């Protein structure tokens, strides 16, 4: 659909509001593709650009994409939540990856996962409110001999017991606190 023929009466105001949220090159990309009926592939390409620019998607950004592309917000959020690659929140300062590969799983990766979710108060794919940690999972880090393995940023820990999770988290939390002093 071309925005010239859009049913939106106040297109200029909508576009101006979206330009306050999205950079010009993304707005231009969406507009260039107005005639392509906004297939899912089109939407994915747009969301990739948004994430490359901001590091994450977010409700305001997805709303702006929906308005410019003239598609329902539910369609945009549906695509964003379906694909694991997309992040709906900013990343934490430290990224925790729990290995859920077979070797780690049989050695108790599920218990480590539960402990991390309990201690951090978040689920996989989420970031703590203070922005310090994001929790992710991964498949085989190539260090199966250390199973079960948890990686924080690029540091690998293993074998890790559920009881050691709080010690590892504390180490990074302490570092964050001291860097703020
Ligand atoms: S399965 Fe976890 S490191 Fe290989």
């Amino acid at each position: 659909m071309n925005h010239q023929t859009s049913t939106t009466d106040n297109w200029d105001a909508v576009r101006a509001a979206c330009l306050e949220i999205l950079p010009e090159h993304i707005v231009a990309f969406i507009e260039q593709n107005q005639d392509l009926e906004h297939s899912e592939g089109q939407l994915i390409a747009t969301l990739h650009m948004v994430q490359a620019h901001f590091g994450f998607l977010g409700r305001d950004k997805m709303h702006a994409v929906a308005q410019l592309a003239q598609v329902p917000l539910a369609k945009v959020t549906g695509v964003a939540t379906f694909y694991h690659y997309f992040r709906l929140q900013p990343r934490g300062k430290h990224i925790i990856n729990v290995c859920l590969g077979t070797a780690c799983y049989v050695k108790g990766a599920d218990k480590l996962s539960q402990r991390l979710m309990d201690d951090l108060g978040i689920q996989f794919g989420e970031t703590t409110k203070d922005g310090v940690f994001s929790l992710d999972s991964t498949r085989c880090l190539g260090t199966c001999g250390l199973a079960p393995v948890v990686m924080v940023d690029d540091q690998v820990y293993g074998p890790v017991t559920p009881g050691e999770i709080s010690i590892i988290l504390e180490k990074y939390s302490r570092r964050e606190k001291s860097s703020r002093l």
Side-chain angles (χ1 to χ4, degrees):
M1 182 194 305
N2 189 302
H3 71 262
Q4 303 281 331
T5 58
S6 163
T7 52
T8 307
D9 295 335
N10 57 342
W11 181 260
D12 288 344
V14 168
R15 188 177 187 281
C18 291
L19 268 170
E20 286 183 19
I21 297 165
L22 300 174
E24 238 177 287
H25 71 281
I26 296 180
V27 171
F29 178 78
I30 297 170
E31 288 179 334
Q32 273 163 22
N33 295 299
Q34 288 281 359
D35 294 328
L36 300 180
E37 296 297 330
H38 296 287
S39 64
E40 186 166 313
Q42 197 60 42
L43 209 43
I44 290 170
T46 304
L47 295 179
H48 270 287
M49 289 176 78
V50 174
Q51 183 155 295
H53 187 82
F54 295 102
F56 68 106
L57 306 176
R59 200 161 175 87
D60 58 339
K61 295 162 190 59
M62 289 192 285
H63 192 254
V65 168
Q67 283 204 304
L68 281 172
Q70 302 270 285
V71 296
L73 177 60
K75 181 171 179 180
V76 179
T77 54
V79 168
T81 51
F82 181 78
Y83 293 99
H84 193 246
Y85 168 83
F86 291 122
R87 309 208 149 274
L88 306 184
Q89 299 177 309
R91 299 285 272 160
K93 201 151 185 192
H94 300 289
I95 312 301
I96 302 171
N97 262 299
V98 185
C99 179
L100 297 179
T102 307
C104 288
Y105 200 84
V106 298
K107 294 232 173 160
D110 55 334
K111 292 189 183 69
L112 293 185
S113 303
Q114 193 55 57
R115 184 60 187 260
L116 277 161
M117 290 191 281
D118 290 346
D119 283 12
L120 295 169
I122 56 175
Q123 304 290 310
F124 282 111
E126 294 181 345
T127 299
T128 53
K129 280 200 181 80
D130 60 8
V132 175
F133 296 107
S134 287
L135 183 59
D136 281 336
S137 63
T138 186
R139 298 275 165 190
C140 195
L141 292 163
T143 54
C144 307
L146 298 176
V149 167
V150 169
M151 190 160 96
V152 183
D153 303 329
D154 50 10
Q155 172 80 49
V156 173
Y157 295 91
V160 179
T161 64
E164 287 166 343
I165 289 293
S166 55
I167 299 169
I168 295 170
L169 294 180
E170 182 57 28
K171 180 176 149 185
Y172 290 88
S173 296
R174 227 183 303 124
R175 205 182 286 170
E176 279 312 306
K177 277 179 202 142
S178 60
S179 72
R180 284 182 199 148
L181 293 177

